Amino acid sequence: MRRRRKKRFYRRMQLYMRVGVLLLFLLMIVFAGMKLFGAEPFTQQYVERTGEEIDALRPKMEVALLTENPYSRPGDSVSKIRGIVIHYTANPGSTAMQNRNYFEGLKDSHETKASSHFIVGLEGEIVQCIPTWEVAYASNERNSDTISIETCHRSADGSYTEETYQSMVELTAWLCKKFDLTEKDVIRHYDVTGKICPKYFVEHEDVWDDFKQDVGKRLESM
């Protein structure tokens, strides 16, 4: 009787092992296929959410794309977007369009290489300078996998108007939604290079934490 029970037990164990091996083999085939055809989470290529739902959440903005040139819009493709980087202009009182025009002028002045995907102005206006699928010269070694947001400020301390702040939250949250990110993926230029940028968020960590929390709250409501 005991021998029969042992035999049954061993047969069941062998059956379970065979089924387990088969399932593991099938999973390996599925994951290999996902990787081969660029499916998430393996793809390193640019992917964004599209459609009416994401378009309806898009904040109001003016699209004023830079002319393609080696100094501010190289036309290079980004890879998978892994973060949103916040910057500040370090030019108190300047408007979003003035900063956009500065980037545009670099094609002629050759002064430096600089740009940003978006600029948020003093009145909360948003200007898009570069398509999100192209590189902006903003975040150094993170240029290829991030979206950059340049922010305007009235005073030298880098603090923001309420209108600028609210637009920053809206734009950042929308971009997080568009690229399947969270507020944890929002960083400062400072976090990439150690540069004091954006100044107010670097010198006031509590305000930076509040900003990310506000982005998270806005994301939850989307």
Side-chain angles (χ1 to χ4, degrees), residues 30-163:
V30 170
F31 282 119
M34 290 174 67
K35 188 172 183 180
L36 178 64
F37 292 104
E40 292 287 0
F42 299 105
T43 183
Q44 300 300 313
Q45 298 177 342
Y46 176 89
V47 178
E48 65 173 30
R49 290 184 179 181
T50 58
E52 293 182 1
E53 181 182 356
I54 195 70
D55 288 343
L57 295 170
R58 181 178 181 265
K60 183 180 178 181
M61 65 180 69
E62 179 177 355
V63 179
L65 300 181
L66 304 178
T67 304
E68 192 167 321
N69 72 91
Y71 292 88
S72 55
R73 186 186 170 189
D76 298 334
S77 299
V78 295
S79 59
K80 180 180 179 180
I81 299 301
R82 301 183 183 277
I84 310 299
V85 187
I86 308 298
H87 305 256
Y88 90 129
T89 63
N91 188 12
S94 62
T95 68
M97 190 54 71
Q98 284 173 339
N99 282 280
R100 180 265 172 202
N101 291 341
Y102 167 74
F103 292 148
E104 176 70 12
L106 292 176
K107 74 179 190 302
D108 302 314
S109 69
H110 303 176
E111 178 184 342
T112 186
K113 291 184 177 181
S115 56
S116 184
H117 292 93
F118 299 92
I119 307 172
V120 180
L122 299 172
E123 304 300 327
E125 71 276 18
I126 300 171
V127 176
Q128 182 176 7
C129 303
I130 294 179
T132 54
W133 52 85
E134 290 184 19
V135 164
Y137 285 144
S139 305
N140 302 77
E141 63 265 27
R142 294 299 305 274
N143 285 340
S144 63
D145 71 345
T146 59
I147 299 298
S148 58
I149 301 175
E150 195 79 47
T151 56
C152 297
H153 51 98
R154 291 196 186 280
S155 60
D157 67 359
S159 58
Y160 299 112
T161 65
E162 182 63 23
E163 293 84 356

